[in-house]
Amino acid sequence: ASPSESESDRMAKLMIMSLCTGNSWRSQTAEGWARALYGELIEQYSAGFETHGMNPRAVHVRAEPGRCCPCP
């Protein structure tokens, strides 16, 4: 939350947690899309049960113009 946001502004936002096993593609993709589509209306987070690091294929797909969502 930014310093200019009041407590009531933060409380009014829907909080969303995207979860997958490794937090290397699915949950980060969901977070990126949610932020791109509803950024001002939500607080979006992604997480995983294990640390897998970024999937190299996912990084490649995200880099293609118009192909996917922004990275969180």
Side-chain angles (χ1 to χ4, degrees), residues 39-72:
E40 295 298 316
L41 303 173
I42 64 169
E43 285 189 52
Q44 171 66 39
Y45 305 94
S46 65
F49 296 107
E50 302 171 354
T51 303
H52 291 176
M54 283 299 295
N55 180 322
R57 290 178 286 181
V59 173
H60 177 74
V61 170
R62 283 185 171 167
E64 295 176 4
R67 175 67 185 231
C68 197
C69 63
C71 292

Side-chain angles (χ1 to χ4, degrees), residues 27-42:
S27 58
Q28 290 184 6
T29 301
E31 179 181 352
W33 273 111
R35 287 179 186 263
L37 295 173
Y38 306 106
E40 295 298 316
L41 303 173
I42 64 169

